[in-house]
Amino acid sequence: MRISDKPVAKRLEALGVEIRPGVSLEELTSLGIGGTTDQLLIRRYDTLPQVMRALKNEGIPHKFLGGGTNVLVADGELPWVVLHLPTSQPGMRVEGTAAYVDAAADLGGTVTFCAKRDLGGMEGLIGVPGTVGGALRMNAGAYGMQIGSYVREVKLYRAAERKIEILRHDQISFEYRHTSFAPDDMMLAVKLELPSKPFKEILQGIRICNEKRRSSQPLGQKSAGCIFKNPPGKSAGRMIDELGLKGLNVGDARISDRHANFFVNAGTASAKDMLTLIGDVRERVHKAFDVELEHEVVVWNV
Ligand code: EPU
């Protein structure tokens, strides 16, 4: 969707929005897959309610993108604009055992920032790529922990109320890779309450998690992490592996040789290739194990 040449573009720019016309989502996602659209950088998030009203009045559909590390975007000209909080110099500060972090901050950078101030708990998240906002929305987790356990407050643009609100942790439900946030809520900032731990001890935990991740996941390749959620008590990766599907491909969309729940873009895979591969694997797992795998990756179909 192109809005850069429409009258609304001027109004959005006056609200502090920078419009980047015709951006390829290949460049904005870790999978390196996706079509083109206008990208809107929200420079002042206090103007979000007005920005959203302007988009609604013009009938311009939108989606929020964080780090783009857990999303599979459709090919071609996309029918919605993409809203983005700029990632340069997001705020991060610590007061006692509380950390106040902007949603645009890098998740790994946040774990390290807190560790240096003797605040731990999030060691498992160190290698999870993406932003704090994305991690909140999905309740990112690894190695027995999840970010939701440490959330005290979330500042967000609440789409249903069309205003910026602060939610307390008891007003949000955090489940396995799922939260009660609405799809069109936009995460803005979070207050985390973290356990005090000496930096050295946290660093040791971080090293162990990094090592585990390096030895089991295809870190240097273009992927969106795990494609499927683990069904209760089961491992999607193990089931796909047991079926001998590592290396299976549709075009350049390929099941990693290292971890069978990571589907990588080995070159110039399209969303169609990746979705065909995902559909094929779901069918095979269903036939063999009578299990319906659910997407862990967020799919932006058109
Ligand atoms: N396994 C295989 N073959 C494979 C992959 C895994 O046999 O190809 C076996 C492993 O040997 C192990 C079991 O399956 O016994 C579980 O594997 P692993 O420890 O790698 O964890 P996982 O359940 O596949 C989950 C998360 C990861 C997270 C890791 C570490 C999901 C869907 N995945 O993976 O998160 O990094 O645990 O805690 O919950 C993600 O969210 O994108 C993600 C990658």
Side-chain angles (χ1 to χ4, degrees):
M1 164 152 290
R2 301 300 162 96
I3 63 163
S4 35
D5 48 0
K6 291 189 181 174
V8 69
K10 286 259 167 316
R11 173 148 167 65
L12 291 171
E13 276 159 8
L15 291 167
V17 176
E18 180 188 331
I19 302 179
R20 295 191 176 162
V23 169
S24 167
L25 273 280
E26 278 178 18
E27 312 295 326
L28 298 180
T29 59
S30 58
L31 254 178
I33 292 178
T36 52
T37 189
D38 284 359
Q39 180 190 13
L40 273 53
L41 277 128
I42 313 289
R43 296 263 175 226
R44 290 169 34 205
Y45 63 62
D46 56 307
T47 62
L48 258 174
Q50 289 119 288
V51 170
M52 302 312 287
R53 201 168 315 123
L55 293 177
K56 189 164 195 287
N57 289 346
E58 297 293 320
I60 299 166
H62 68 274
K63 287 191 182 286
F64 294 118
L65 186 70
T69 54
N70 196 41
V71 63
L72 168 56
V73 184
D75 306 310
E77 181 69 34
L78 302 169
W80 13 261
V81 295
V82 166
L83 307 189
H84 216 143
L85 292 170
T87 44
S88 58
Q89 297 189 320
M92 253 185 233
R93 73 190 157 85
V94 157
E95 261 176 45
T97 54
Y100 298 81
V101 187
D102 282 351
D106 174 67
L107 181 61
T110 302
V111 176
T112 317
F113 178 87
C114 295
K116 285 183 183 158
R117 286 150 186 85
D118 298 321
L119 294 179
M122 299 197 291
E123 293 84 337
L125 291 178
I126 189 71
V128 176
T131 59
V132 167
L136 284 174
R137 160 166 299 288
M138 290 298 296
N139 189 17
Y143 304 113
M145 61 82 44
Q146 50 183 33
I147 193 166
S149 318
Y150 300 107
V151 170
R152 282 299 154 266
E153 281 174 6
V154 174
K155 185 175 187 181
L156 76 171
Y157 170 76
R158 203 77 165 132
E161 320 291 334
R162 299 219 202 138
K163 59 182 191 207
I164 293 171
E165 284 186 1
I166 293 179
L167 294 184
R168 289 188 320 270
H169 69 105
D170 58 354
Q171 297 172 292
I172 311 164
S173 87
F174 288 101
E175 291 149 46
Y176 167 61
R177 300 298 197 275
H178 181 81
T179 60
S180 53
F181 299 118
D184 47 359
D185 287 345
M186 187 178 198
M187 308 296 117
L188 299 174
V190 65
K191 176 185 177 186
L192 302 163
E193 184 70 38
L194 298 166
S196 294
K197 255 193 210 179
F199 176 55
K200 268 196 178 155
E201 211 177 288
I202 303 172
L203 201 59
Q204 218 170 2
I206 284 177
R207 287 210 178 108
I208 293 169
C209 293
N210 267 338
E211 193 38 52
K212 279 194 199 161
R213 201 179 285 280
R214 257 196 301 273
S215 65
S216 65
Q217 299 183 359
L219 300 187
Q221 286 175 283
K222 289 193 259 181
S223 87
C226 285
I227 286 285
F228 299 110
K229 290 184 184 178
N230 284 335
K234 294 194 166 70
S235 159
R238 188 184 295 141
M239 286 191 280
I240 301 167
D241 195 1
E242 278 176 14
L243 294 176
L245 300 181
K246 280 181 171 170
L248 184 73
N249 73 298
V250 174
D252 277 337
R254 181 181 299 275
I255 300 181
S256 158
D257 291 320
R258 183 159 271 218
H259 194 299
N261 199 9
F262 277 64
F263 291 18
V264 300
N265 173 5
T268 54
S270 63
K272 193 161 169 261
D273 295 335
M274 196 53 87
L275 287 167
T276 307
L277 184 62
I278 291 171
D280 183 17
V281 170
R282 278 193 89 222
E283 221 173 281
R284 292 184 195 227
V285 167
H286 185 231
K287 256 196 201 136
F289 299 100
D290 199 22
V291 167
E292 295 272 6
L293 289 178
E294 253 184 71
H295 293 168
E296 196 278 334
V297 67
V298 176
V299 179
W300 285 2
N301 259 323
V302 291

